[in-house]
Amino acid sequence: MAPVDVSLVSRARPVSSRRDQILGVLSPLVPVLPGGGLPRGAVIAVGTGEGTPVGGGAGTLAFALLAGASATGSWCAAVGTSDPGILAIAELGVDLDHLALVPGPGGAWPEVAAILIDDMDVVLVRPPGPVRPGAARRLAARVRQRGAVLVVQEGRGTWPEGPDIRLTVEAGAWDGVDRGHGHLRGRHVEVVTGGRRAAVRSVRTGLWLPAASGAVTAG
């Protein structure tokens, strides 16, 4: 099992009240989420659609979801995301002073995520493969009990349970390359929102993920 800095976890008590049921997000992401933010107690799955390369913007979107919360002092964690690129996620708006990274938890990632859920506001996980239904149910129950938010960056078929909100990245295209020449400046995608309850109705939102500045902008 990958080591978790217990001293860090003990200091990372949620700073926003559990009565604040919606954690804020970056303004371009407000239309993407029912209620305009991250609902406490929810599981949010982020992935790519058919015909879109696996990982084609899903990882960027997953970290972007943490940016608004971390910027207002909420504690966030990322488990199993390997090397996310510190500069890139900082440009997205993530406050690195309020982010704990556990890049290589191996097969113990569910246990690591469960420890972090107890004391973090938002926990991002990237499972290395298909998740056992029992493990998924236990993490979802823990998130509801603790009033945290679980963001799952999933491959196709990774998460066996229906998430509260599902964000699917589609139709990604990079800007700045013409006939094989030039520099990549930004990636335009469409994000389709679905899920349960308030998220049942499908909503499609255009985003620059990232824009030329490295940040997320409406598009």
Side-chain angles (χ1 to χ4, degrees), residues 106-107 109 126-130 158:
W109 73 265
R126 184 181 183 184
T158 299

Side-chain angles (χ1 to χ4, degrees), residues 8-24:
L8 172 62
V9 173
S10 66
R11 295 197 304 271
R13 302 295 179 185
V15 297
S16 55
S17 170
R18 295 300 193 192
R19 294 188 296 273
D20 299 335
Q21 292 302 307
I22 302 292
L23 294 174

Side-chain angles (χ1 to χ4, degrees), residues 5 45 56 77 99 106 158 206:
D5 187 342
L99 177 68
T158 299

Side-chain angles (χ1 to χ4, degrees), residues 101-176:
L101 291 172
V102 186
W109 73 265
E111 291 78 14
V112 173
I115 292 171
L116 292 168
I117 285 169
D118 285 349
D119 291 294
M120 297 280 176
D121 291 289
V122 188
V123 177
L124 163 62
V125 297
R126 184 181 183 184
V131 180
R132 295 176 182 269
R137 286 193 292 269
R138 285 191 293 273
L139 286 175
R142 200 178 192 104
V143 164
R144 289 192 298 271
Q145 179 187 15
R146 299 295 185 178
V149 180
L150 180 64
V151 178
V152 181
Q153 184 189 341
E154 61 170 352
R156 296 184 183 105
T158 299
W159 191 256
E161 300 290 301
D164 298 286
I165 300 171
R166 184 181 297 280
L167 304 179
T168 305
V169 180
E170 295 185 349
W174 283 97
D175 177 58

